Amino acid sequence: MRHITRGARGAAVATLAIGAVVALTACGTSSGGSAGPTEAADELGEMEGTVSILAWPGYVEDGSNDPAVDWVSGFEEQTGCMVESKTYGTSDEAVSLMKTGDYDVVAASGDATLRLIAGGDVAPVNTDLIPSYAGIFDFLKDQAWNSVDGVSYGVPHGYGANLLLYNTEVVTPAPTSWDIVFDKASEYTGKVTAYDSPIYIADAAVYLMTHQPELGIENPYALDEEQFQAAVDLLKAQRPHISEYWSDYLKEISAFETGDSVAGTTWQVIQNVLEGESAPTAVVLPEEGATGWSDTWMIASAAKSPNCAYAWLDWIASPETNAAATAYFGEAPSSQEACNFRDDCEAYHAGDAEYASQIWYWTTPIAECVDGRTDVECVDYSTWTEAWSEIKG
């Protein structure tokens, strides 16, 4: 997944506010095992005074990195919950750290959420206890990466698509398909770039859904053996044309500025930076659709401060706070109200349900096919990881 901040640029200071939230007295009913609570909390109570948060860089800013960027201090003043935070670099790292039991809250991407749920590391969340949840875009709620069997496991944070970035002086005419990095990659050999993560296998699957419909792929995160092998083979064919696999967005910016890369996957924030520096680049959401992310704030099943955890979920989803956090990171906010505090929502297609419907949000591949099939077993994430090492060589 993301290695470093997806867009720690151009964040505006927001005056943060939160409604009164009384925190929870009990985490719900526990089954008695290490899996923790099996039901969401049903009432609120006293705050504990501290909360430990695990998150991507740029998600929990207290002014120490930039005095003008701080949405933690307001939370502490309003709730009395002092924030202790730790950042991580990959979803695999986040999953591992959550098993220590040291964190009350985690901001997890879709390639981690189902692993956290299946491992019993996070608890169901009662969204009725989170006033800000009501304003969140409907297309982010109750999805495969943040809910199981109709039970919510968290609060959406921000979202975005993995777009196609290209050099407008080299790649002509303007592309409308991912074919320039797959079937036509030889035309730009040595200057094609791709995201460095096993989850990128899903990008190949999205392409195959359109170009090899006979494979019957219905969801790029639900691949049986034949479908998975086809995606792996496509990426192996792409490999000789790759200039580099990137995870640090600054490296991709540099590669497109120097011309070392002319086509590949990207994030909107990267194009924003390149456009600001007058680079000859543009982005497109190709006709096949794209993968993307919708991160989720989740509460640990063994949270020591569940009350403060609920308060944080409400705070980070509140419009002004969410606007500040998602703008700083470089992604669309989770609510229309947050756009009242940002001037770039249009660039991120915030709230555009039609645009969002073309995004296949990162979801953890598991053996139980997330597309609903029961007659086959799907390839799980551990095999994706092994295959990715083989692809890269």
Side-chain angles (χ1 to χ4, degrees):
M1 260 233 35
R2 290 154 297 173
H3 170 67
I4 196 167
T5 56
R6 192 158 41 214
R9 293 185 177 226
V13 182
T15 303
L16 306 178
I18 188 174
V21 174
V22 192
L24 133 116
T25 55
C27 273
T29 304
S30 174
S31 60
S34 60
T38 58
E39 296 180 3
D42 57 8
E43 57 182 325
L44 304 172
E46 295 297 323
M47 307 228 185
E48 299 85 357
T50 62
V51 63
S52 180
I53 301 174
L54 181 64
W56 290 109
Y59 270 23
V60 186
E61 292 296 311
D62 61 3
S64 57
N65 290 321
D66 182 341
V69 181
D70 179 5
W71 49 86
V72 168
S73 296
F75 170 76
E76 293 177 331
E77 292 169 5
Q78 287 284 340
T79 66
C81 300
M82 298 297 104
V83 172
E84 299 171 356
S85 66
K86 177 179 176 62
T87 59
Y88 63 85
T90 67
S91 287
D92 289 349
E93 183 184 355
V95 171
S96 178
L97 286 170
M98 282 300 292
K99 293 188 180 301
T100 66
D102 293 338
Y103 306 97
D104 301 305
V105 175
V106 60
S109 292
D111 57 342
T113 51
L114 294 186
R115 284 187 281 167
L116 291 170
I117 294 169
D121 301 309
V122 292
V125 169
N126 183 349
T127 57
D128 290 340
L129 303 181
I130 303 171
S132 298
Y133 187 81
I136 291 175
F137 294 127
D138 287 341
F139 58 78
L140 297 179
K141 297 177 179 178
D142 303 317
Q143 299 298 326
W145 60 90
N146 58 31
S147 301
V148 175
D149 296 331
V151 177
S152 175
Y153 276 83
V155 173
H157 176 71
Y159 70 98
N162 295 312
L163 302 169
L164 173 60
L165 176 65
Y166 62 98
N167 184 309
T168 56
E169 296 177 349
V170 177
V171 182
T172 57
T176 60
S177 168
W178 286 110
D179 61 1
I180 68 167
V181 300
F182 289 122
D183 290 336
K184 297 180 180 178
S186 60
E187 297 179 17
Y188 308 101
T189 189
K191 294 193 175 184
V192 175
T193 187
Y195 190 55
D196 189 2
S197 170
I199 208 68
Y200 182 66
I201 294 171
D203 291 58
V206 168
Y207 183 74
L208 292 173
M209 289 170 72
T210 297
H211 297 273
Q212 291 188 34
E214 65 275 12
L215 288 169
I217 299 174
E218 298 291 336
N219 183 310
Y221 307 104
L223 304 177
D224 60 34
E225 288 288 349
E226 180 185 5
Q227 296 166 340
F228 181 75
Q229 192 58 52
V232 170
D233 289 345
L234 181 61
L235 293 177
K236 286 182 176 179
Q238 180 197 55
R239 180 67 182 95
H241 309 297
I242 294 289
S243 55
E244 68 173 349
Y245 292 101
W246 67 275
S247 56
D248 181 340
Y249 84 108
L250 294 174
K251 290 184 178 179
E252 185 177 45
I253 289 172
S254 177
F256 272 84
E257 287 178 330
T258 61
D260 290 340
S261 294
V262 299
T265 49
T266 197
W267 302 319
Q268 181 64 50
V269 66
I270 292 174
Q271 168 58 14
N272 292 351
V273 173
L274 287 167
E275 184 177 354
E277 297 177 359
S278 300
T281 60
V283 293
V284 63
L285 179 64
E287 58 196 18
E288 298 93 350
T291 61
W293 71 91
S294 171
D295 293 346
T296 304
W297 287 101
M298 312 179 86
I299 297 178
S301 55
K304 298 178 180 67
S305 300
N307 305 307
C308 285
Y310 262 82
W312 175 262
L313 264 60
D314 187 59
W315 172 268
I316 200 66
S318 62
E320 288 187 75
T321 309
N322 188 256
T326 55
Y328 183 69
F329 198 77
E331 58 192 336
S334 64
S335 70
Q336 191 60 51
E337 290 82 358
C339 287
N340 294 332
F341 303 95
R342 286 181 59 171
D343 58 8
D344 60 351
C345 274
E346 185 175 353
Y348 287 92
H349 300 273
D352 186 337
E354 181 179 353
Y355 184 89
S357 70
Q358 300 174 66
I359 304 172
W360 290 95
Y361 298 97
W362 281 331
T363 304
T364 309
I366 57 177
E368 184 179 345
C369 301
V370 295
D371 63 0
R373 285 182 294 169
T374 58
D375 57 334
V376 296
E377 187 172 279
C378 282
V379 179
D380 67 15
Y381 188 72
S382 63
T383 305
W384 284 50
T385 300
E386 294 170 3
W388 184 242
S389 296
E390 187 180 320
I391 290 164
K392 291 176 62 179

